[in-house]
Amino acid sequence: MAHSHTVTELTEADTRLPAKFAAWGSKGLVVGLILLALGVLPAALGKDGWKHFQFAYLTGYFFWLSIALGGLIYLCIQHIMRAGWGIVVRRMAENIVGTLPWMAILFLPILIPTLMGDTGIYKWADTAAMVAADIEALPGKVPVYQNFLNPTFWAVRAVVYFAVWIFLARFFVKQSQLQDQDGDPKRTRRMEMISAPAIFLFALTLTFAGFDWLMSLDPHWFSTIWGVYLFAGALLSFLSYLTLMTMGLQKSGAAEALITKEHYQDLGKLMFGFVFFWGYIAFSQYILIWYANIPEETIFYLYRQKGAWTGFTIVLLFGHLLIPFAGLLSKHVKRHKPTLAFWAVWLLVMHFVDMYWIVMPTLAKKLGNSYEIPFSFQHLAVWLGIGGIFFAFVVRNAGAKSIVPLRDPRLPESLAFENF
Amino acid sequence: MSTTKTLHVEGLDNSTDDPSGRAPLILKHDYKSVTDAVCGVVENPKIHPAWALGFLVALGGLGMLFALIVHLIATGVGVWGNNVPVAWGWPIVNFVFWVGIGHAGTLISAVLFLFRQNWRTSINRFAEAMTIFAVVCAGTFPGIHVGRIWLAYWLFPVPNQMLMWPQFRSPLLWDVFAVGTYASVSLVFWYMGMIPDLATLRDRARHPLRRLAYGVLSMGWRGSSRHWHRYERAYILLAALATPLVLSVHTVVSFDFAVSQVPGWHTTIFPPYFVAGAIFSGFAMVVTLAVPARAFYGMKEIITVRHLENMNKVILATGSMVGYAYAMEFFIAWYGGNRYEQFAFVNRAMGPYWWAYWTMVSCNVLSPQIFWFKKARTSIPIMMVVAIFVNIGMWFERFVITVTSLSRDYLPSSWAYFRPTPVDIGMLIGSFGLFFTLFFLFLRFLPMIAISEVKLVMPEPEPGTTAKRETTPLETAPASSN
Amino acid sequence: MAENRIQDEGQDPSWVTNLKRHDEESPQKVYAVVAEYDTPGELLEASRRVRDAGYSKWDTLTPFPVHGIDEAMGIKPTILPWIVLCMGLAGGTLGLGLQYFTNTVFYPYLISGKPMFSLPANIPVTYELTILFAAFTAFFSVLGLSMLPEFFHPLFRLKRMERYTNDRFAVVIQGNDPIFERERASALLKETGGNDIETIFAPEKTAPIPAPVVGVSVIIGAILLLPPAFVARARFSKSEKPRIHIIQDMDMQQKFKAQFPSELLQELYGDPRASLQPVPGTLARQDFVEDDVWLDGKLPSGDYSAAFPEGFVIDEGMLERGQQRYAISCMPCHGLAGDGQGLVANRALFLADAIASGRANTGMAWAPPANLADARIQVQPIGEIFHTISYGLNNMMGYATQVNREDRWAIAAYVRVLQKSQGATLADVPAEVRAEVEQELVEARAAAEIVAAAAAAEQAARDAAEAEAAAAEQAAPETESND
């Protein structure tokens, strides 16, 4: 087998984070804080401003959290598959996953009001009212409010989720970083071993977090595939974000020779695969609910197929599935940085549309303007605001570390990687 | 990859976890010896008594299946235990069971190919053959379940004198298209992968009839690089097409159940859950078949411990996914507060079919958990036992889904207990006869390992190290004329 | 393993021997020069040299696809993916079209309220057909683009061919290459380290296809033509025979049929009728009512009752029920207003009229249904109306079997309402709604005038257009003659 490029010895300069990239991080923080402030501002002014902010925050927060969580499962899968190709982009993935402790803090604006019984986002936070409302028509649901969907247990679960995620994130980030120093191949082995149970913990926590934070927006609606749906979206948006971050890194002058179009092609392939997977899961959920037409389930889609929401749903169908599917089909698109970047941005926007489509109908119902999209500039400001802060965390995590896992035993394989 | 260190392996155990390099996938073989080993099985003129015995037993099962089908057609579906409300009894259970098993082949060929899992090359031919035979078994059951079997062509959109057309809004018709497409595309995929190996057999053949048969089957393949170029593109495309296809087939099978409003059937996780279950049972079947075959035919250096260990890992992963789905169904039944749904699940675990449910859980979810231990993953007896447990468990899964939900539905006055008749049981056994008859024939007449693909994952010989060039035996070979 | 291989060389069939003899005895031309290489690396190196030497008609033979050979040989990317893409799209379109046309145009059939065509339900089949077409195209494109199957090829005369599908690699420089010279090509291959350089010859004329192959092909072809021939015959002929049913037991089920005597029942009960009669002298429990008026509308004396049965309460709900039942069972003939102008009556009268005036030759003689507001019926006691509803009169059949007794009384009560409404004046309307009704009347008259005016205007316009057309027709021959 002939290789068109030979492996070069890595120099110190090759692995240092460029100052330009670090500077972007602080800019991101400033812009993020300003945007977030703009998003909060109307909350103090009008009576609906606060509601808008609450829902915008939930949307934006879950968007960025799902990117970090997508990164966590990506790391687990990379390790458990003993993948060689992706070692050069793994450090950036670790930086993204490393934001999880910070994301726990950013969860407080949702956690604290709900824990105090605020029904602004989750109407089940008032257990007594829910029990009273359902005891006649749906007595089977009463124990659910009493034992599961109540603020206290909900908060306890949130703490457990974050504890699991932070533990796993710190484990993978730390082991990888320590390996840079001692080059011990046992650390690779240890990460492989932990990633198997980690996937199980991750699957359960992501599923229940999805139930707790998004599905329970309508406490009567349920879908068993919900966790898988969120997993597909999370991994897809993470891959897009990772691609953009890696390109940003190269744009700021680092890793020019390390990360090649071969690696981008693989990232693109995964994006393509998960576009399809997301579509598969979304279609499965849709057709089963649509076909059986049971009122308690259909309500979710019925609402989203009426009035202004119709267009929104169609945007999701085309924008999240059909158009990127066609767009990412070609090998050349995936190997060409500008086109791949375009689709990465596109998919991130679509992930936001997806989150918006899940969350905002609840706000619309709350505001009483049925079937109208309750759009406000706050929504974008909060989303991008959290994004700025998220980006700053990513850059901060990159810090003084090498930009690739320097002494990973499979690094040479990754450097020489070629698609066939 | 030349940049990756190939680990040195002692003996036949290449299941090392050393991350500093990659363990070799094929042990102690060079190009020629791989060809000899695989083709030798087909070219051996002697029929091994063990093979003959197995084949005769399988043939007996097949005969019983045919006899029972004739009995069924002549008498009517009353010979089965199907009743009202359990109108979908064993035939559907068997259908879903076999279709599920038929998933591993295409998964190994296509999905693992796209994921660059090189270890697939030793087992893909095997698994693809298994897929096709399993789909043949699966297709038998809905075929004979339609009652008036001579009108089975009504399933297809054929212009007819009644000016009637099939009803495309029904998931059962989607099934016809999904399983039909799957069977034919799998067959094409299998055959196309086999063409280069058939050419090898043709060129090695000494007997003119043999040469004629393999010559026709290999369609004049010469190993031209210009052909290989198109062949490889087409193979990648087929893999890329077969991957969503394999997802869609069991998804559509799950739609048969899940689009209805029967409690216990209608739940949104069914599609991915069925697909995971199908892969699970398919891999278990590959292990069940591969372990004896590699021992019997001396393929331990080609289907190595590493291959088996990887399959066991897949079994563990998919088994746990299935467990996740069971748990989600239970949780959401409780969470949703719907009393019918809650009843359906309590009834599953504690109702008259509790024994089936707990057989399913212990075989599917609990038994693979032993694969957390490397010792178990690499132990031949343990993996055989677990694989057979999984096969049993997955049959029971389909039984539990089909029968428990139907036997106690919305109308308590029509609740009934389903009992299989001897014909039901005979047909299940007979379908194994059909499967193994085809499988034994495959082992005897076709290359059971993808010779040309295995060579791809073997390290390239250094110039000058190949076996001494010998010309004598070739002189005796007659010129091929076909 | 090798020692187990079949040693029996057998005899070639005579037609194969003949082919070989033809190949060997006819005049030969150089087909190619072949050299053998031991490893993929050597082959790649040699391929680059041959490519750079400017050969275009040459090939390499390998037992497996060698990584990097495309670049080394300068093979251009194949168009195969594009063919597959096109056929995939065609398959999807076909799938969608098939479902649309069969389920909404050719055979629209409503099943459990589902829409005839609804995209979500039609996606699975569309998707499967896309894949089916694309996959088969991929396979057949490999064969087609590679000109396979090709059972006779000069390379098959090569003795070393066995190694090239096993463990060795070869470069083949073809004789029909524009710059081919046997010695130069051999020298080049020698230089690149090729072993066992051999020249292969091909007969200048290919042998005729052997008779057994032709015979078998003709027979298979003829057999394959049979099904389409039968289909074509069936398509263009008529048959009164039912389609073939192997086992008839679903068509010919054992069952009791109405109006057909059954031997089994005759044997069991001495009565062959499928619908068993009640035991003589018995009555179903709810059927026993001791009230002649309620049952038949007649007094015990045999006269029609002038009053509703005792206990039959006439209120708004009962009249509404009567109105609704009337609309179902009576309105088609007697009309919504009870004036005998129902749809069925009108249609029948139209047909009868058409026969009378010779415009049609099918139809029927028709006794028009009664106007319920006729003086004749106005004076009938309520019992008689009930009796007529129950047992029918003249053309009208009895409705006792279709409408239950209570509903028949409700209809009778509603008939009284209709009778009253037909001769009603404004004075009959309650005072408090009289103004409203008057207003409605005015509006209705105004609307009628507008409609009449519009119709007149339309008629005028049509007349004008006709006149113009007539004028144009007259003018037309003139313009023609001017030509």
Side-chain angles (χ1 to χ4, degrees):
Chain A
M1 259 169 266
H3 292 283
S4 47
H5 54 83
T6 47
V7 182
T8 43
E9 277 296 308
L10 292 179
T11 62
E12 221 280 311
D14 282 338
T15 63
R16 218 175 327 137
L17 188 77
K20 204 166 153 193
F21 193 72
W24 287 347
S26 41
K27 276 182 205 153
L29 186 64
V30 175
V31 173
L33 285 175
I34 293 173
L35 282 171
L36 204 54
L38 279 175
V40 186
L41 202 60
L45 302 175
K47 70 174 170 59
D48 285 346
W50 175 244
K51 284 182 190 163
H52 274 287
F53 173 74
Q54 277 190 310
F55 280 89
Y57 193 85
L58 180 64
T59 313
Y61 177 77
F62 208 90
F63 176 91
W64 294 105
L65 178 72
S66 65
I67 288 179
L69 290 177
L72 187 55
I73 188 74
Y74 171 84
L75 282 183
C76 292
I77 295 173
Q78 287 278 309
H79 284 304
I80 205 167
M81 301 296 278
R82 300 176 182 171
W85 67 273
I87 304 292
V88 289
V89 293
R90 203 186 74 209
R91 182 53 49 82
M92 187 47 91
E94 284 162 2
N95 295 336
I96 296 170
V97 173
T99 57
L100 277 168
W102 303 99
M103 292 311 279
I105 295 170
L106 286 179
F107 187 62
L108 293 179
I110 301 170
L111 181 82
I112 292 170
T114 308
L115 187 59
M116 288 162 67
D118 171 48
T119 55
I121 300 181
Y122 302 110
K123 72 175 181 184
W124 48 258
D126 185 352
T127 308
M130 295 307 289
V131 169
D134 278 357
I135 193 135
E136 282 295 321
L138 196 58
K141 191 84 186 179
V142 170
V144 177
Y145 297 127
Q146 284 163 346
N147 303 319
F148 188 76
L149 274 187
N150 59 61
T152 323
F153 189 36
W154 177 85
V156 170
R157 287 199 302 273
V159 171
V160 172
Y161 306 150
F162 277 110
V164 169
W165 295 337
I166 292 170
F167 167 76
L168 293 175
R170 284 184 59 86
F171 172 78
F172 286 118
V173 171
K174 205 160 183 184
Q175 289 293 323
S176 170
Q177 206 182 336
L178 286 174
Q179 198 177 41
D180 277 2
Q181 289 150 22
D182 60 15
D184 186 358
K186 282 207 189 77
R187 295 194 187 281
T188 303
R189 183 70 201 122
R190 201 172 300 151
M191 287 193 277
E192 284 169 11
M193 305 250 292
I194 293 295
S195 53
I199 289 175
F200 286 87
L201 286 174
F202 176 84
L204 289 175
T205 47
L206 176 76
T207 304
F208 279 93
F211 290 166
D212 280 355
W213 301 343
L214 295 183
M215 198 169 88
S216 73
L217 282 168
D218 177 351
H220 290 126
W221 187 76
F222 53 84
S223 171
T224 40
I225 207 174
W226 192 243
V228 189
Y229 181 81
L230 293 180
F231 157 74
L235 194 45
L236 178 57
S237 50
F238 164 77
L239 289 165
S240 311
Y241 193 71
L242 176 66
T243 306
L244 289 177
M245 284 295 107
T246 311
M247 286 176 184
L249 197 64
Q250 290 194 305
K251 190 101 185 161
S252 63
E256 286 294 358
L258 303 186
I259 303 165
T260 65
K261 56 189 176 186
E262 304 290 341
H263 302 107
Y264 284 117
Q265 190 189 346
D266 258 25
L267 284 171
K269 280 189 220 166
L270 282 174
M271 276 157 69
F272 175 72
F274 274 89
V275 163
F276 181 81
F277 185 71
W278 180 92
Y280 164 61
I281 297 298
F283 176 73
S284 297
Q285 176 173 280
Y286 177 76
I287 195 171
L288 292 182
I289 291 177
W290 171 83
Y291 202 108
N293 207 7
I294 299 175
E296 63 206 27
E297 292 181 346
T298 310
I299 187 158
F300 181 84
Y301 286 107
L302 202 60
Y303 186 87
R304 286 162 179 79
Q305 282 184 6
K306 282 202 174 156
W309 287 102
T310 317
F312 218 82
T313 306
I314 290 173
V315 166
L316 208 55
L317 169 65
F318 279 88
H320 208 312
L321 175 64
L322 301 177
I323 296 173
F325 182 83
L328 280 166
L329 202 55
S330 162
K331 170 170 106 177
H332 306 289
V333 170
K334 287 175 274 205
R335 290 172 75 88
H336 188 51
K337 270 200 232 176
T339 47
L340 189 65
F342 169 79
W343 287 113
V345 172
W346 173 288
L347 287 172
L348 284 174
V349 171
M350 278 304 141
H351 186 52
F352 178 69
V353 170
D354 189 16
M355 287 295 133
Y356 199 90
W357 178 84
I358 290 169
V359 173
M360 286 302 177
T362 314
L363 173 64
K365 284 181 199 166
K366 267 203 163 48
L367 295 175
N369 47 350
S370 50
Y371 309 127
E372 295 288 314
I373 295 172
F375 185 74
S376 150
F377 79 96
Q378 279 176 282
H379 303 168
L380 291 181
V382 172
W383 169 46
L384 295 172
I386 302 176
I389 299 168
F390 186 82
F391 177 65
F393 290 152
V394 173
V395 174
R396 204 192 112 98
N397 287 335
K401 284 183 259 176
S402 159
I403 55 172
V404 290
L406 208 50
R407 296 169 76 180
D408 188 293
R410 298 197 181 105
L411 184 64
E413 188 181 332
S414 181
L415 288 171
F417 169 68
E418 266 184 78
N419 278 289
F420 56 82
Chain B
M1 297 273 163
S2 53
T3 47
T4 315
K5 194 173 93 188
T6 302
L7 296 172
H8 178 71
V9 166
E10 286 294 333
L12 287 179
D13 183 10
N14 59 345
S15 65
T16 169
D17 291 317
D18 184 356
S20 62
R22 301 281 184 193
L25 285 166
I26 308 296
L27 304 169
K28 300 180 179 169
H29 269 299
D30 57 26
Y31 293 151
K32 185 170 181 313
S33 66
V34 165
T35 314
D36 288 342
V38 179
C39 296
V41 174
V42 179
E43 288 161 350
N44 190 343
K46 292 194 206 80
I47 293 175
H48 195 285
W51 182 90
L53 183 70
F55 181 68
L56 282 179
V57 170
L59 208 58
L62 175 62
M64 177 168 75
L65 180 67
F66 274 130
L68 288 175
I69 289 177
V70 170
H71 172 58
L72 168 88
I73 294 169
T75 318
V77 288
V79 299
W80 282 330
N82 298 15
N83 57 24
V84 172
V86 188
W88 277 12
W90 274 34
I92 296 298
V93 176
N94 295 342
F95 162 68
V96 182
F97 171 71
W98 280 116
V99 161
I101 286 183
H103 275 60
T106 311
L107 185 98
I108 291 171
S109 309
V111 182
L112 298 188
F113 180 72
L114 295 181
F115 282 132
R116 289 195 297 264
Q117 297 296 306
N118 286 338
W119 56 277
R120 70 179 261 289
T121 55
S122 294
I123 49 169
N124 70 337
R125 173 68 43 74
F126 213 85
E128 286 164 31
M130 186 202 77
T131 285
I132 289 159
F133 307 149
V135 173
V136 168
C137 293
T140 309
F141 285 99
I144 57 179
H145 187 252
V146 295
R148 290 181 289 172
I149 188 173
W150 52 96
L151 296 178
Y153 69 93
W154 285 4
L155 291 168
F156 301 98
V158 182
N160 56 68
Q161 76 277 27
M162 297 169 292
L163 301 179
M164 295 206 308
W165 293 93
Q167 207 263 100
F168 283 102
R169 288 154 288 175
S170 159
L172 297 178
L173 192 68
W174 307 344
D175 234 2
V176 173
F177 279 81
V179 176
T181 303
Y182 186 60
S184 48
V185 172
S186 299
L187 193 64
V188 163
F189 201 30
W190 182 55
Y191 179 56
M192 186 168 144
M194 215 152 42
I195 288 178
D197 295 351
L198 290 170
T200 305
L201 278 172
R202 170 201 65 201
D203 291 345
R204 289 166 59 94
R206 292 289 175 269
H207 194 278
L209 275 181
R210 222 177 157 71
R211 202 160 59 232
L212 187 68
Y214 288 118
V216 169
L217 282 175
S218 63
M219 304 221 251
W221 182 262
R222 302 185 292 277
S224 151
S225 287
R226 295 179 196 277
H227 296 179
W228 275 121
H229 171 68
R230 296 183 195 107
Y231 179 92
E232 280 201 289
R233 282 307 288 169
Y235 201 79
I236 286 189
L237 285 172
L238 276 177
L241 290 164
T243 302
L245 177 64
V246 82
L247 283 186
S248 78
V249 177
H250 229 55
T251 296
V252 168
V253 172
S254 81
F255 286 168
D256 293 346
F257 297 91
V259 298
S260 73
Q261 297 175 343
V262 176
W265 285 11
H266 176 71
T267 177
T268 47
I269 201 156
F270 254 39
Y273 152 45
F274 264 52
V275 172
I279 296 164
F280 181 51
S281 64
F283 266 89
M285 193 55 124
V286 176
V287 170
T288 317
L289 298 175
V291 166
R294 78 194 261 278
F296 187 73
Y297 290 113
M299 301 282 178
K300 285 185 181 172
E301 297 91 358
I302 301 178
I303 303 175
T304 63
V305 176
R306 183 170 205 82
H307 293 97
L308 298 174
E309 191 195 355
N310 282 349
M311 286 197 272
N312 292 334
K313 284 180 181 172
V314 175
I315 289 176
L316 173 60
T318 46
S320 303
M321 285 183 206
V322 169
Y324 169 89
Y326 296 161
M328 279 308 123
E329 282 184 323
F330 257 87
F331 175 75
I332 291 290
W334 176 75
Y335 175 90
N338 179 321
R339 70 173 76 170
Y340 302 104
E341 202 70 24
Q342 290 179 348
F343 172 79
F345 282 95
V346 171
N347 182 48
R348 251 181 212 185
M350 265 114 77
Y353 294 103
W354 62 270
W355 48 273
Y357 182 80
W358 293 107
T359 307
M360 163 188 110
V361 170
S362 37
C363 287
N364 289 352
V365 185
L366 301 181
S367 80
Q369 302 304 325
I370 197 173
F371 285 151
W372 283 102
F373 304 101
K374 189 178 177 78
K375 269 223 165 69
R377 286 199 300 267
T378 52
S379 149
I380 300 288
I382 293 182
M383 74 176 82
M384 263 320 261
V385 169
V386 172
I388 289 171
F389 271 167
V390 170
N391 286 323
I392 295 171
M394 285 308 290
W395 189 89
F396 271 98
E397 179 192 294
R398 279 61 177 254
F399 178 81
V400 165
I401 292 172
T402 309
V403 175
T404 59
S405 285
L406 284 179
S407 73
R408 291 191 161 183
D409 63 359
Y410 291 105
L411 201 62
S413 61
S414 60
W415 286 1
Y417 193 80
F418 173 87
R419 269 189 193 79
T421 62
V423 176
D424 275 317
I425 298 166
M427 279 193 172
L428 175 60
I429 298 169
S431 67
F432 277 92
L434 171 59
F435 178 80
F436 279 106
T437 303
L438 294 169
F439 194 73
F440 276 114
L441 288 175
F442 160 73
L443 288 179
R444 188 75 188 97
F445 292 106
L446 293 170
M448 73 168 99
I449 284 169
I451 310 171
S452 63
E453 291 191 55
V454 163
K455 288 174 188 165
L456 266 176
V457 302
M458 292 170 64
E460 189 176 307
E462 295 298 319
T465 60
T466 47
K468 216 169 156 46
R469 309 183 50 74
E470 84 278 24
T471 42
T472 24
L474 287 168
E475 294 308 318
T476 62
S480 289
S481 67
N482 43 359
Chain C
M1 285 296 155
E3 48 274 25
N4 286 337
R5 285 174 53 185
I6 293 175
Q7 295 304 317
D8 166 25
E9 308 218 343
Q11 282 294 312
D12 278 335
S14 62
W15 56 276
V16 174
T17 324
N18 290 341
L19 276 180
K20 283 185 184 167
R21 194 179 308 129
H22 173 274
D23 276 7
E24 274 149 28
E25 288 171 4
S26 56
Q28 305 284 315
K29 62 176 183 198
V30 174
Y31 171 72
V33 177
V34 181
E36 182 176 303
Y37 299 83
D38 287 350
T39 64
E42 289 166 85
L43 178 79
L44 285 171
E45 200 41 51
S47 297
R48 289 195 193 96
R49 300 269 309 265
V50 176
R51 177 195 68 194
D52 295 342
Y55 287 100
S56 57
K57 292 196 162 40
W58 66 288
D59 207 342
T60 55
L61 305 180
T62 60
F64 54 86
V66 173
H67 186 60
I69 194 83
D70 296 348
E71 177 266 325
M73 285 178 65
I75 298 176
K76 289 194 193 73
T78 167
I79 60 159
L80 188 137
W82 294 103
I83 307 177
V84 171
L85 180 69
C86 291
M87 285 306 284
L89 292 175
T93 315
L94 182 88
L96 208 56
L98 174 76
Q99 295 176 79
Y100 179 79
F101 283 104
T102 54
N103 277 189
T104 66
V105 180
F106 303 150
Y107 187 54
Y109 197 75
L110 189 65
I111 290 157
S112 50
K114 297 187 189 89
M116 297 296 173
F117 186 75
S118 46
L119 215 43
N122 290 302
I123 284 190
V125 171
T126 310
Y127 178 91
E128 299 300 342
L129 285 180
T130 307
I131 291 185
L132 184 72
F133 272 60
F136 272 83
T137 307
F139 175 65
F140 286 110
S141 299
V142 175
L143 296 185
L145 294 172
S146 307
M147 305 291 279
L148 294 176
E150 189 173 13
F151 297 117
F152 301 91
H153 193 277
L155 276 176
F156 290 138
R157 306 173 94 195
L158 188 60
K159 288 194 168 76
R160 306 193 66 83
M161 194 66 185
E162 183 185 339
R163 300 308 290 265
Y164 308 142
T165 52
N166 182 357
D167 63 338
R168 293 289 154 84
F169 308 82
V171 171
V172 181
I173 302 179
Q174 280 164 233
N176 56 356
D177 189 282
I179 59 167
F180 180 83
E181 279 169 43
R182 195 171 154 188
E183 288 72 28
R184 244 191 59 192
S186 304
L188 175 66
L189 293 176
K190 186 100 206 153
E191 247 174 72
T192 60
N195 303 308
D196 296 291
I197 295 165
E198 233 182 293
T199 307
I200 323 174
F201 295 91
E204 275 178 11
K205 269 196 199 133
T206 45
I209 300 171
V213 176
V214 176
V216 169
S217 311
V218 167
I219 291 168
I220 291 176
I223 291 171
L224 287 179
L225 274 177
L226 279 179
F230 276 116
V231 170
R233 182 169 156 263
R235 183 74 186 78
F236 295 106
S237 62
K238 278 185 183 170
S239 166
E240 306 226 320
K241 277 185 247 162
R243 62 169 178 272
I244 301 163
H245 257 204
I246 299 164
I247 290 164
Q248 301 277 344
D249 55 5
M250 277 189 65
D251 299 64
M252 311 288 181
Q253 291 176 18
Q254 284 194 327
K255 63 183 175 192
F256 302 129
K257 288 182 181 164
Q259 315 300 337
F260 279 88
S262 155
E263 280 174 30
L264 180 68
L265 289 174
Q266 173 71 41
E267 201 176 301
L268 285 176
Y269 304 111
D271 183 352
R273 281 179 291 185
S275 36
L276 290 179
Q277 297 302 298
V279 176
T282 62
L283 200 62
R285 189 174 281 202
Q286 72 276 11
D287 284 357
F288 178 66
V289 182
E290 216 175 0
D291 181 347
D292 289 346
V293 176
W294 173 248
L295 289 176
D296 264 352
K298 281 183 181 170
L299 297 168
S301 61
D303 296 328
Y304 289 116
S305 162
F308 282 96
E310 223 170 292
F312 183 76
V313 184
I314 300 169
D315 55 12
E316 204 176 340
M318 178 58 70
L319 288 177
E320 264 168 20
R321 173 81 185 165
Q323 183 180 25
Q324 189 205 17
R325 297 290 108 180
Y326 176 89
I328 292 170
S329 299
C330 317
M331 183 270 279
C333 287
H334 289 285
L336 210 52
D339 52 5
Q341 301 289 317
L343 284 170
V344 172
N346 283 348
R347 173 77 181 153
L349 283 174
F350 169 80
L351 288 177
D353 188 39
I355 296 168
S357 59
R359 279 181 286 122
N361 53 11
T362 58
M364 58 185 288
W366 178 253
N371 178 354
L372 299 177
D374 249 10
R376 170 173 71 84
I377 301 173
Q378 292 267 18
V379 299
Q380 283 179 0
I382 190 73
E384 187 172 0
I385 292 175
F386 176 81
H387 194 269
T388 309
I389 294 171
S390 302
Y391 297 105
L393 192 68
N394 300 339
N395 259 6
M396 175 178 156
M397 66 162 191
Y399 280 79
T401 52
Q402 293 180 27
V403 184
N404 72 32
R405 188 163 278 118
E406 189 168 8
D407 284 346
R408 270 179 272 142
W409 277 112
I411 292 173
Y414 183 66
V415 166
R416 279 279 185 260
V417 172
L418 287 176
Q419 289 173 338
K420 181 130 192 168
S421 74
Q422 287 305 293
T425 62
L426 205 55
D428 293 332
V429 178
E432 61 269 26
V433 291
R434 210 171 284 164
E436 205 179 305
V437 172
E438 260 178 291
Q439 178 59 28
E440 269 176 35
L441 261 176
V442 172
E443 276 169 19
R445 282 193 191 116
E449 268 166 35
I450 291 168
V451 171
E458 201 179 306
Q459 183 61 40
R462 207 178 299 134
D463 290 348
E466 265 170 32
E468 208 171 295
E473 219 167 276
Q474 277 182 343
E478 282 170 32
T479 46
E480 246 170 32
S481 61
N482 284 352
D483 278 341

